[in-house]
Amino acid sequence: MIMPHVIHYEDDFFIVDGLVRVICDAARLEPDADIIGDAVISAARLADATLRRVKDLVLENDHLVDRPECLRLLSRTTRAFADALSELLRPDAPLAQSCASSADELERMATAHRAAAAELRDVLRQSTADDSSHEDHVSGDELSELLKM
């Protein structure tokens, strides 16, 4: 008997968020390109692939526990990643020369992740709107009657 694969969303979010924070820090600080440049590009590629995979898994699973929170976290991390990539590509950025050979790839990643963050926000808005419309509402009169019992 084959056991179904369990996906540890929270752990995956934690790891990919850490990768994105490293890229955000590299974009915000002034690291030495010859020391850290290649590692930042590798981290960006890993974050790109991981964010895409996690996004697909979350969007495929309508019954995920805490799905709205997962969508919110994923959207925020995805947007931060896109913004950090854009910062890395600024001509005056400390890692701009290191990123120059991968600039087209990084720009495509930034564009794709901006779109993904918007899609995730839209799905989140839709899912929270759907959830609120299915809630049972108790009127004030019903609540009074229930409290009398």
Side-chain angles (χ1 to χ4, degrees):
M1 181 167 127
I2 297 175
M3 296 296 292
H5 178 73
V6 175
I7 299 171
H8 302 280
Y9 290 98
E10 293 85 7
D11 294 346
D12 295 339
F13 288 148
F14 180 80
I15 298 296
V16 76
D17 187 64
L19 283 169
V20 169
R21 277 186 273 124
V22 166
I23 296 161
C24 289
D25 288 345
R28 188 174 45 82
L29 301 174
E30 295 183 19
D32 293 304
D34 58 331
I35 296 173
I36 202 81
D38 290 341
V40 171
I41 293 169
S42 294
R45 288 179 178 135
L46 179 58
D48 170 57
T50 306
L51 282 168
R52 283 186 287 114
R53 180 69 179 128
V54 171
K55 174 187 160 265
D56 290 346
L57 289 170
V58 169
L59 291 178
E60 288 171 6
N61 190 347
D62 290 336
H63 304 292
L64 178 64
V65 176
D66 293 331
R67 187 169 191 250
E69 185 62 16
C70 291
L71 290 166
R72 187 178 291 99
L73 290 171
L74 193 54
S75 175
R76 186 193 72 214
T77 300
T78 301
R79 181 60 194 215
F81 180 55
D83 292 345
L85 291 174
S86 294
E87 284 295 311
L88 285 173
L89 293 170
R90 277 190 5 258
D92 61 335
L95 295 179
Q97 274 192 318
S98 293
C99 295
S101 63
S102 303
D104 289 343
E105 175 188 10
L106 295 174
E107 188 57 48
R108 279 191 304 273
M109 281 183 204
T111 301
H113 286 286
R114 263 190 211 88
E119 177 187 4
L120 290 162
R121 281 191 307 273
D122 290 345
V123 171
L124 174 61
R125 265 194 292 281
Q126 184 62 43
S127 71
T128 53
D130 289 348
D131 286 347
S132 64
S133 65
H134 295 300
E135 288 179 13
D136 290 332
H137 295 281
V138 178
S139 71
D141 292 338
E142 290 172 319
L143 185 58
S144 293
E145 286 300 315
L146 289 170
L147 291 174
K148 287 179 185 176
M149 295 180 170

